[in-house]
Amino acid sequence: MGYILLAVQAHVPSLHPPSCNPGQQTTTCESLHGSNLSLLLLGLYLIPIGDGAARACLPALGGEQFNKSDPVEQRQEASFFNWYTFAVSTGGFVGLVFVVWVENSKGWDIGFVVCALCVLLGMLIWIAGFPFYRNQLPTGSPITRILQVLVAAFKKRRVKLPENPSDLKQIKHDEASAIEILHRTQGFHCLDKAAVDTGKTGAWSPCSITQVEETKIILRMVPIFLSAILGYIPVPLILNFTVQQGNTMDTRLGSIRISPATLFVIPTVFQMVILVVYDRFIVPFLRRITGYVGGVTHLQRIAIGFLSTTVATGVAALVEIKRKKVAEDNGLMDATSGIPISVFWLTVQFFLLGIVDVTSFVGLLEFFYSEASMGMKSIGSSIFYCILGVSAWLGSLLIQLANRVTKHRDGTGGWLDGTNLNRGKLDRFYGLLAVLELLSLFIYVFFARRYVYRNDQKVVVDEDNKIPSERAINAI
């Protein structure tokens, strides 16, 4: 619906703002307002709402199709998240190449129609799989269950816990087949009070010990969640500024000149290639050495990504210093393009960003999904995408703070002021990002080393031979 509304607005001239030419001093450009602005915002807001709902549910739905007790399906589940990310990257690649071409050559209205048709086709393919899905029946809102535990525990904060844990409320037998039964664990004892039966009845008191443990699992993830936010702040900033760097450089590949918009394709292609190599070659090799179904643990994989981000930031700073020196040596400090340094100097940082997506992106998605209980799988995926959104917002805030702190007394001279990178201090900003990323890496490692996995990540073994099944090693 969002893309359809944008297509309609792009096609109907009466829904456009008055035309203007910013280069003419006598022309006043008017922004969109009134009902036309409302229609535009409605279309723009519907797209992230739909996209957010799909992204939260698709990984959980895909993960539910595999049985972890079967060695073949356990191996396939680990591979699924790699290929899910590959599919997301493929969609981005098609959008950057085909959809951008359609919008530039055929018009924005046709481009939005193509986007709507792509979403419709994806929905039809998804619906066609209904007869084949292993579908877990919903057990209510996971957020509601968490709030019930927090509220009930607060109300009973003065209640004494029973000495016998079996006296805490257990899950009902008729609910046992619908959700995962969890037993009491150490830590967060204040939440255990939510399962104390004080005689009051209702949805908010008392809660079952399984419901309490679901809440504990989410709370144990919070330190990883917060440190991951810090670790992901530099990623979109490096990507966007790298493309801006590339726009000022020599974008020729032999006799072919690369379009600035095409630069976004480079990290996407790197990510797709690295994902295939990682899943088909690196993971099987590491699995034979470590015994982990994914080659390494989820948290180790995430750490590799954050380390790659730190290195990518340092490399980006060095390349920026080199780019500015070439501009200065050639008297092109005021030029916004055509600096005689090849755009392929950016290849290393693009490659490292591809490693980040293959490791930390997929690792975080796998971690939150696998560690969440059966009734909390979708919220695990939602936490992952919240990390990306909050990190992007904090990145924008960091740019504003860096500019404000580094301004001169006359209000000029911020590191990232203006549109001319040659006069800015992007290299220093990259240095700030490198320090921030290194700090976040230390924080992440501190919490990751203390995290206790709920699920064993070792390859399932045959009961007879006590060795990994050959089917688990060789299956796709």
Side-chain angles (χ1 to χ4, degrees):
M1 286 300 299
Y3 284 121
I4 291 174
L5 290 177
L6 293 180
V8 171
Q9 186 155 37
H11 182 74
V12 180
S14 62
L15 300 178
H16 299 175
S19 59
C20 69
N21 186 354
Q24 296 180 359
Q25 296 181 354
T26 58
T27 302
T28 301
C29 296
E30 298 182 15
S31 60
L32 204 63
H33 59 275
S35 59
N36 291 352
L37 177 61
S38 299
L39 181 64
L40 174 65
L41 294 178
L42 178 61
L44 292 176
Y45 287 142
L46 283 175
I47 293 173
I49 289 174
D51 187 55
R55 286 178 182 266
C57 297
L58 280 176
L61 176 64
E64 288 173 354
Q65 308 311 305
F66 305 98
N67 181 3
K68 290 186 177 182
S69 62
D70 182 273
V72 176
E73 296 194 17
Q74 183 193 31
R75 159 67 176 83
Q76 291 174 336
E77 182 190 34
S79 187
F80 163 75
F81 289 99
N82 292 330
W83 291 106
Y84 169 80
T85 307
F86 182 87
V88 173
S89 299
T90 302
F93 177 82
V94 172
L96 289 170
V97 176
F98 177 67
V99 177
V100 169
W101 174 80
V102 170
E103 290 178 341
N104 290 336
S105 60
K106 305 298 181 181
W108 284 84
D109 51 347
I110 303 299
F112 287 131
V113 169
V114 170
C115 292
L117 291 176
C118 288
V119 175
L120 178 62
L121 177 61
M123 184 177 67
L124 294 176
I125 295 175
W126 170 68
I127 292 175
F130 274 2
F132 309 102
Y133 295 146
R134 295 173 178 173
N135 191 27
Q136 299 288 343
L137 296 177
T139 57
S141 169
I143 296 179
T144 301
R145 294 204 300 277
I146 292 174
L147 291 177
Q148 286 174 345
V149 171
L150 297 178
V151 171
F154 178 78
K155 289 181 177 179
K156 302 175 186 178
R157 60 191 181 276
R158 294 185 176 88
V159 174
K160 185 178 180 180
L161 284 171
E163 295 182 2
N164 188 353
S166 62
D167 292 337
L168 297 174
K169 182 184 177 183
Q170 304 296 324
I171 194 170
K172 296 179 181 179
H173 292 290
D174 58 348
E175 298 174 346
S177 59
I179 62 176
E180 180 181 2
I181 299 178
L182 302 174
H183 302 287
R184 186 187 181 192
T185 59
Q186 296 299 317
F188 295 106
H189 293 304
C190 58
L191 297 181
D192 293 336
K193 295 182 179 182
V196 176
D197 192 351
T198 57
K200 297 181 179 180
T201 59
W204 293 75
S205 179
C207 304
S208 69
I209 195 64
T210 290
Q211 191 174 344
V212 171
E213 289 302 317
E214 286 181 329
T215 305
K216 288 183 181 181
I217 290 170
I218 298 299
L219 291 179
R220 290 189 181 107
M221 294 182 184
V222 169
I224 304 296
F225 170 70
L226 296 177
S227 57
I229 288 177
L230 292 176
Y232 248 101
I233 287 176
V235 175
L237 297 179
I238 300 172
L239 180 59
N240 290 331
F241 282 123
T242 297
V243 173
Q244 291 184 38
Q245 286 175 284
N247 290 341
T248 69
M249 301 165 76
D250 183 1
T251 59
R252 289 176 298 178
L253 178 60
S255 59
I256 302 174
R257 185 172 294 276
I258 302 174
S259 168
T262 310
L263 293 176
F264 282 102
V265 176
I266 298 176
T268 305
V269 172
F270 271 132
Q271 182 192 30
M272 295 167 67
V273 173
I274 297 172
L275 269 169
V276 175
V277 174
Y278 182 83
D279 185 79
R280 302 299 297 175
F281 299 101
I282 297 178
V283 170
F285 173 75
L286 292 177
R287 184 185 295 122
R288 292 183 177 93
I289 297 174
T290 65
Y292 291 117
V293 67
V296 294
T297 66
H298 301 322
L299 295 179
Q300 289 172 345
R301 185 174 183 176
I302 297 166
I304 294 171
F306 290 158
L307 179 61
S308 297
T309 306
T310 305
V311 178
T313 310
V315 170
L318 295 176
V319 172
E320 175 62 10
I321 293 173
K322 172 69 175 177
R323 188 196 66 81
K324 287 180 64 174
K325 187 176 185 305
V326 172
E328 184 179 2
D329 292 344
N330 289 270
L332 298 173
M333 291 299 290
D334 293 322
T336 57
S337 62
I339 298 175
I341 176 174
S342 174
V343 72
F344 293 99
W345 275 81
L346 305 175
T347 302
V348 175
Q349 59 208 70
F350 273 138
F351 177 77
L352 290 170
L353 289 174
I355 293 179
V356 172
D357 286 334
V358 171
T359 51
S360 62
F361 185 96
V362 183
L364 281 166
L365 186 60
E366 258 185 316
F367 170 74
F368 288 122
Y369 172 80
S370 65
E371 288 297 290
S373 62
M374 185 181 297
M376 297 282 182
K377 298 295 186 184
S378 60
I379 201 172
S381 303
S382 301
I383 288 175
F384 165 71
Y385 285 109
C386 283
I387 288 176
L388 303 185
V390 174
S391 297
W393 182 82
L394 290 177
S396 301
L397 180 62
L398 182 62
I399 292 176
Q400 299 296 325
L401 290 176
N403 270 339
R404 179 171 298 182
V405 171
T406 57
K407 280 185 182 296
H408 297 157
R409 291 184 178 181
D410 60 357
T412 62
W415 282 356
L416 303 174
D417 273 349
T419 59
N420 189 344
L421 287 181
N422 302 327
R423 298 294 183 184
K425 298 294 187 293
L426 180 58
D427 51 340
R428 297 183 184 180
F429 185 71
Y430 276 142
L432 174 64
L433 290 180
V435 172
L436 174 65
E437 184 63 25
L438 189 61
L439 177 62
S440 65
L441 177 61
F442 286 139
I443 295 173
Y444 169 79
V445 171
F446 175 82
F447 288 116
R449 287 175 62 87
R450 286 158 179 77
Y451 184 84
V452 179
Y453 286 99
R454 192 175 72 91
N455 294 310
D456 186 13
Q457 298 183 52
K458 291 286 186 177
V459 178
V460 172
V461 297
D462 291 334
E463 289 299 325
D464 296 333
N465 301 323
K466 299 299 181 183
I467 59 174
S469 168
E470 284 297 321
R471 293 176 64 214
I473 296 297
N474 298 325
I476 297 178

